[in-house]
Amino acid sequence: MTRINVTVDGVSNADDVEPRMLLVHYLREVVGKVGTVVGCDTSNCGACTVHLDGRSVKSCNVLAVQADGHEVTTIEGLASNGELHPMQAAFHENHALQCGYCTPGMIMQAVDLLRENPDPSEEEIRVGLEGNLCRCTGYHNIVKAVAAAAGTMSSERSNA
């Protein structure tokens, strides 16, 4: 067992983990953040995407021990004070989910995309979401949601 200290959604956690434990399993089984889902377990689908120090990573491709001393944000950590993050709200308002299994990973990837490119074109959104798969093939509304969130977040920055 290896002792790790990881801040998850703003809460410090100190836990003993097997050195081979994946971050996705640590988040779900030890910390209890079940919003992060295990999709393919091979890093192909992106359903397990979280932020590690603000950058999106596929948590089935990262060992929990690699997160030692770092900050992880999950889909549960995006909302604050009972209010959805603008990306979460945009997914809801644009019906950007079908079965919903890919939604947490899509949202986390999309937030990171807008951090890097606050005003992406439709093509840039599609390229930015590559590596996150929707098995229901509902990409059209996902792209609409990311564009809507970009507009909302841009307005919020202008009003700040």
Side-chain angles (χ1 to χ4, degrees):
M1 298 294 259
T2 300
R3 187 81 170 170
I4 61 172
N5 294 291
V6 181
T7 300
V8 180
D9 296 338
V11 176
S12 296
N13 297 274
D15 296 294
D16 294 321
V17 298
E18 289 285 337
R20 63 182 179 185
M21 178 178 250
L22 295 173
L23 180 58
V24 67
H25 296 299
Y26 172 73
L27 293 171
R28 290 181 58 83
E29 297 163 17
V30 178
V31 182
K33 297 292 184 177
V34 295
T36 303
V37 296
V38 179
C40 63
D41 226 2
T42 62
S43 78
N44 286 321
C45 76
C48 65
T49 302
V50 298
H51 293 169
L52 182 61
D53 293 335
R55 303 296 309 258
S56 63
V57 298
K58 294 178 179 178
S59 60
C60 74
N61 208 21
V62 176
L63 296 170
V65 295
Q66 291 176 297
D68 183 33
H70 296 277
E71 185 171 324
V72 174
T73 304
T74 70
I75 190 71
E76 291 102 324
L78 281 186
S80 66
N81 299 324
E83 301 243 349
L84 294 177
H85 183 279
M87 188 65 70
Q88 293 170 312
F91 267 65
H92 175 75
E93 292 161 4
N94 288 279
H95 309 286
L97 55 92
Q98 291 185 30
C99 81
Y101 205 80
C102 70
T103 304
M106 286 284 188
I107 289 174
M108 299 307 286
Q109 182 65 32
V111 168
D112 193 29
L113 167 67
L114 295 188
R115 183 190 57 75
E116 290 184 9
N117 181 359
D119 187 27
S121 67
E122 180 179 331
E123 178 66 23
E124 290 169 327
I125 293 170
R126 291 184 184 278
V127 170
L129 294 177
E130 285 182 356
N132 287 72
L133 303 177
C134 170
R135 290 189 173 93
C136 303
T137 66
Y139 295 103
H140 181 69
N141 285 355
I142 291 170
V143 172
K144 280 178 42 183
V146 175
T152 300
M153 293 166 72
S154 176
S155 294
E156 289 176 357
R157 280 190 302 277
S158 296
N159 294 332

